[in-house]
Amino acid sequence: MRNYRCFMVALILLLTCDLAESQEDRSASDILREAEDYLNVLPSRSYELLHSDVDLSAFQASQLFRWYIAKMRAAVSTNNLIDVELDIELLFKLKHEDYFKENAWDVFRITGIVLRKLGFWNESKLSFECALYLTQTDKEKLGILISLGILERHLDQDEMAKIHYKKAGEIAAKLKNERALASVYNNLGTLELDQGNIEKAEEYYRSALVAFQDTNKRSGNITAGTNLLLIFAIQKNTLNFQRLFSPINTFVENYPDESKKALMYWLSSADKQNQGAAIDAETKKQLTKSFEQLESIKMKILINKYLAPRFGMVFIVPEQPEVTPKKSLAWLVELPSCFQLKAK
């Protein structure tokens, strides 16, 4: 028996060494391809792969372009923006390459999303406008219109946001793009919730969740699912909340986004209270901490309006700040030049 145990330990160690060696021996090209494959279904895996210690010295310009674009997309999807500004700077160093010029619309699209998440509102809008100007097809316009709508919602330009969402919805329906249509439904639902139209918001969120489930987009399932859970918590619809909570919570627990975990804590606490559970001082302390971890001011406003008063809690939500870009972000000066790329 002792010999058997020794054999199994040795075998496990051998397999572990083989796996480690095979990971180290993988080429940067293989890692890039795998990371791109995971971007839509498991961006946390893409983020992990693209932040591993990889030698990019043999990469061609087109491969470097794909690497930095993938890193930015993974950072946005997982809300891990720690080093994303450096990735943008490195990406813009490729601006003279043909591959950059051919895909400039995508550069400015993803840059616009990053700038919005960093709070650079004016620069974000300019970047989206650049991207839209450089597009050639409806397929390229689709994501940019949705992103513009999201930015406009944060700027309290709801009517403009609705126009862009509906235009995107028309394109998505024409292209039979279920994933984009799901995103449109989700964002229209959020506009309705902002305006206090709970039932209409629920209708949109349900449509969004079904469409995201059909396309197997995990981040979409999380976003639409948590939004729908918020609706059920507001409505005190415990039955529907409990049916949806477990699968969405599993997604969130395995997703590297602390703001989503903070939101789930608020939602689960609200459901417990809806069922008559007493909320103690420790829970309120954690709710306060979780409130600060929420991703956006808009979500803080919704929680402060609909759920916080039920716990006897009121938070001061600051106005949406406009961040002044750091002088070190040299790539920001490239934004106005995007209008010259189409002419070339």
Side-chain angles (χ1 to χ4, degrees):
M1 191 67 172
R2 181 187 176 94
N3 289 338
Y4 175 77
R5 286 201 196 98
C6 290
F7 170 75
M8 290 304 296
V9 170
L11 180 61
I12 291 169
L13 289 173
L14 179 63
L15 288 173
T16 303
C17 290
D18 287 344
L19 285 171
E21 287 176 4
S22 64
Q23 179 71 13
E24 290 175 3
D25 290 342
R26 294 179 65 200
S27 70
S29 297
D30 288 339
I31 292 174
L32 174 58
R33 280 193 293 270
E34 183 181 350
E36 289 175 329
D37 288 342
Y38 273 111
L39 275 172
N40 286 325
V41 294
L42 192 59
S44 56
R45 175 59 178 162
S46 300
Y47 186 89
E48 178 187 347
L49 287 165
L50 294 165
H51 284 78
S52 55
D53 188 13
V54 180
D55 181 9
L56 305 180
S57 59
F59 263 7
Q60 298 176 356
S62 60
Q63 291 173 305
L64 279 174
F65 176 93
R66 287 164 52 203
W67 183 274
Y68 294 127
I69 284 286
K71 277 189 78 175
M72 290 163 64
R73 288 182 59 192
V76 165
S77 294
T78 58
N79 208 34
N80 284 311
L81 303 172
I82 297 172
D83 58 356
V84 72
E85 294 172 23
L86 175 60
D87 294 325
I88 300 177
E89 192 166 355
L90 292 170
L91 179 63
F92 272 99
K93 287 183 178 180
L94 303 171
K95 63 183 179 181
H96 299 299
E97 300 290 341
D98 289 340
Y99 199 86
F100 183 103
K101 295 174 184 177
E102 291 165 5
N103 296 277
W105 70 273
D106 199 28
V107 173
F108 288 105
R109 179 190 68 83
I110 191 65
T111 300
I113 296 173
V114 172
L115 290 169
R116 175 180 64 78
K117 283 185 168 284
L118 293 174
F120 303 161
W121 306 119
N122 291 333
E123 291 78 8
S124 176
K125 189 153 192 176
L126 177 58
S127 194
F128 287 139
E129 288 170 349
C130 287
L132 205 56
Y133 176 77
L134 294 168
T135 55
Q136 307 261 340
T137 67
D138 280 346
K139 184 179 179 181
E140 293 171 353
K141 291 176 183 176
L142 187 51
I144 302 167
L145 289 168
I146 293 173
S147 293
L148 255 176
I150 293 171
L151 173 64
E152 287 159 347
R153 180 210 170 211
H154 282 279
L155 293 172
D156 296 321
Q157 299 171 357
D158 289 358
E159 290 308 311
M160 284 301 300
K162 195 171 291 188
I163 289 170
H164 284 126
Y165 288 148
K166 291 190 172 179
K167 191 178 294 184
E170 291 169 2
I171 294 174
K174 182 174 73 173
L175 297 178
K176 294 183 170 57
N177 188 326
E178 284 295 314
R179 186 170 292 171
L181 203 54
S183 183
V184 169
Y185 289 146
N186 183 71
N187 286 301
L188 283 171
T190 299
L191 282 180
E192 295 294 344
L193 182 55
D194 285 342
Q195 295 165 11
N197 303 323
I198 309 297
E199 288 75 19
K200 190 66 177 176
E202 179 186 353
E203 182 182 330
Y204 277 126
Y205 287 150
R206 283 181 179 274
S207 297
L209 184 58
V210 169
F212 278 131
Q213 287 172 338
D214 289 344
T215 58
N216 195 32
K217 186 171 177 61
R218 184 171 301 194
S219 59
N221 275 307
I222 290 172
T223 301
T226 52
N227 284 339
L228 197 51
L229 284 170
L230 175 57
I231 293 292
F232 294 150
I234 293 170
Q235 296 171 330
K236 300 185 178 182
N237 189 335
T238 297
L239 180 61
N240 280 343
F241 187 99
Q242 290 297 319
R243 285 173 175 169
L244 182 60
F245 180 80
S246 182
I248 298 302
N249 191 53
T250 299
F251 280 141
V252 172
E253 286 300 315
N254 291 290
Y255 205 75
D257 187 339
E258 293 305 313
S259 66
K260 290 292 190 292
K261 292 180 175 64
L263 177 57
M264 287 300 284
Y265 188 81
W266 265 94
L267 296 175
S268 62
S269 298
D271 184 62
K272 289 173 185 175
Q273 190 193 52
N274 289 340
Q275 296 181 66
I279 303 300
D280 58 22
E282 186 58 35
T283 300
K284 285 191 174 184
K285 182 179 178 181
Q286 184 58 45
L287 285 170
T288 300
K289 180 180 178 181
S290 296
F291 187 85
E292 295 304 318
Q293 293 175 320
L294 294 173
E295 177 185 358
S296 69
I297 287 178
K298 286 291 188 180
M299 180 55 73
K300 289 180 179 180
I301 290 172
L302 290 173
I303 294 296
N304 202 38
K305 177 180 179 180
Y306 289 109
L307 299 186
R310 298 181 184 180
F311 298 95
M313 303 172 75
V314 178
F315 297 95
I316 297 175
V317 182
E319 292 185 7
Q320 199 79 264
E322 181 176 326
V323 181
T324 302
K326 303 170 189 173
K327 291 182 180 179
S328 60
L329 302 183
W331 46 268
L332 283 173
V333 303
E334 303 293 339
L335 290 177
S337 68
C338 78
F339 294 103
Q340 302 169 14
L341 291 170
K342 198 170 187 178
K344 294 178 182 178

